[in-house]
Amino acid sequence: MSSKQATLDPTDLWGLALGAVLFEMNGYDAANNYEIEPTEENLEAIRRSLKRGWGIESTEDLMDNLRWLQEEGHRTSFYEMRSFLSTLSMADQSAFLETLPKNTEKHMQYILVKAYMHKLPLAGIAAWDFGRYVDLCRMGAFVGYISEETSWELIRKVAVVAQESYSGWLEYGISYVAGRQFWLGTISEEKAKQHTDYVRSLVLNKDSLWRRLDWNLKLVDEEEAEEAAEAEEVEAEAVETVVVEKEELEAEAMETVVAETVEVQTEAVESEIAQAEPAEVTAKDAETEHIEVATEEAETETRQK
């Protein structure tokens, strides 16, 4: 991560703060906005980490993982389990848990979902996906898989979604911890306390990004948002126009082909008829000539008799 972070504006700092728990856990310094010294040793360490943890070795790999976090993530499985359990009574939920193999990842995840399903907002553990998304964006830029500019553009987009999904940093932090537990698939009081301590520090420490930045900070300029929406609408209309024009051209081309085909077929039929008529006439003439000859022969024969 570059020295650009020292001069980040509040909106980019807000987006960076979504990954604060993970940055803190990895020992990055909040005093300089979690910037990493760009040494060869650090570069190699981050590359190894991305490869080992995510299978990322290229820009394409990075973007694939970012798309997964943005569109699905671990929250999808959490949603599905929560939706299923919500259809059951408390007694039936407990009975269902008893049917699962004990101490397996699935069993532990269902226990966690049951424990958190009424304590988290509708977004569930999406905070866990958002935090990791921001971390990947920054690590990807650090090793050169994407540019700094691209990294911040991606973070700004997910920041808007995150802000709409939670009511504040504390709720976001609790959801993040729940998501990490769900991802681990284990129930450990020690690890839960460790993660909760990071959240507590971010909420209470006056120097943390969470304390310095209002959750409801205006992330998108209304005028810019309207312009962006209008631009998207214009682009959509342009695409629709192109599609319609293409369909019309294809229809015209098809009509032309059909017309030409009919014309060719008509000409072929007329040609066949034209070729067939002389033959028929010749046959009739030959038949008439044969009759006339036969008549003359009969008359001659009669005269001879």
Side-chain angles (χ1 to χ4, degrees):
M1 289 176 272
S2 73
S3 58
K4 174 184 181 295
Q5 285 184 283
T7 57
L8 288 179
D9 62 40
T11 56
D12 284 344
L13 280 174
W14 198 100
L16 183 68
L18 293 174
V21 178
L22 191 52
F23 294 144
E24 294 278 341
M25 289 181 62
N26 288 330
Y28 303 148
D29 188 4
N32 66 349
N33 301 329
Y34 306 116
E35 182 177 351
I36 303 175
E37 187 68 24
T39 64
E40 283 300 322
E41 183 180 356
N42 286 338
L43 285 167
E44 184 58 31
I46 297 301
R47 288 194 190 98
R48 285 198 305 268
S49 176
L50 289 172
K51 180 180 179 179
R52 182 178 64 251
W54 295 89
I56 295 175
E57 297 182 83
S58 66
T59 299
E60 183 179 1
D61 293 338
L62 174 65
M63 297 308 296
D64 285 343
N65 279 280
L66 288 174
R67 273 190 292 272
W68 179 78
L69 285 171
Q70 183 180 26
E71 298 171 4
E72 297 181 41
H74 289 99
R75 64 188 179 278
T76 301
S77 296
F78 183 91
Y79 293 157
E80 292 172 352
M81 292 182 181
R82 181 173 63 180
S83 295
F84 170 69
L85 289 180
S86 66
T87 65
L88 306 177
S89 65
M90 293 295 290
D92 287 340
Q93 288 177 15
S94 298
F96 169 73
L97 291 176
E98 288 298 319
T99 67
L100 299 175
K102 299 298 182 290
N103 299 320
T104 60
E105 181 181 66
K106 187 175 182 180
H107 180 240
M108 295 299 180
Q109 286 180 333
Y110 265 109
I111 290 176
L112 287 166
V113 172
K114 184 175 184 294
Y116 281 111
M117 62 187 296
H118 298 302
K119 297 178 181 178
L120 299 181
L122 185 62
I125 62 170
W128 167 244
D129 294 324
F130 297 153
R132 300 181 87 199
Y133 184 96
V134 171
D135 178 67
L136 274 188
C137 285
R138 299 308 301 136
M139 297 305 109
F142 181 70
V143 299
Y145 290 151
I146 56 175
S147 67
E148 282 287 323
E149 182 179 357
T150 298
S151 171
W152 292 112
E153 286 177 355
L154 293 171
I155 290 173
R156 289 179 197 122
K157 291 179 180 179
V158 80
V160 173
V161 178
Q163 189 180 56
E164 294 173 348
S165 301
Y166 297 97
S167 62
W169 288 114
L170 179 59
E171 185 177 68
Y172 175 85
I174 293 172
S175 300
Y176 181 94
V177 171
R180 183 172 175 80
Q181 288 180 290
F182 182 84
W183 170 69
L184 288 171
T186 60
I187 299 175
S188 168
E189 183 177 348
E190 180 182 352
K191 288 186 177 181
K193 183 180 183 304
Q194 179 188 28
H195 303 150
T196 303
D197 285 344
Y198 284 115
V199 171
R200 182 182 294 107
S201 175
L202 286 165
V203 171
L204 299 178
N205 185 349
K206 63 182 180 62
D207 294 323
S208 76
L209 289 181
W210 288 14
R211 283 292 301 275
R212 288 157 49 193
L213 298 164
D214 179 10
W215 177 264
N216 296 310
L217 177 71
K218 189 176 181 180
L219 299 179
V220 181
D221 183 88
E222 293 182 3
E223 185 175 342
E224 291 181 358
E226 290 179 1
E227 290 178 355
E230 290 176 0
E232 289 181 0
E233 185 176 348
V234 170
E235 183 178 356
E237 290 177 353
V239 171
E240 184 178 357
T241 300
V242 170
V243 171
V244 171
E245 290 178 349
K246 181 181 179 182
E247 291 176 348
E248 290 177 349
L249 288 173
E250 290 177 347
E252 291 177 2
M254 182 59 69
E255 289 178 3
T256 301
V257 170
V258 171
E260 291 177 350
T261 301
V262 170
E263 183 178 351
V264 169
Q265 290 177 342
T266 301
E267 291 176 353
V269 171
E270 291 176 347
S271 176
E272 289 180 7
I273 292 174
Q275 292 175 3
E277 284 179 347
E280 291 177 1
V281 171
T282 302
K284 289 179 180 179
D285 290 346
E287 184 179 354
T288 301
E289 183 178 354
H290 176 72
I291 293 173
E292 289 176 350
V293 170
T295 302
E296 290 177 357
E297 290 177 349
E299 290 176 350
T300 302
E301 185 177 346
T302 301
R303 285 196 296 270
Q304 289 176 347
K305 287 181 179 179

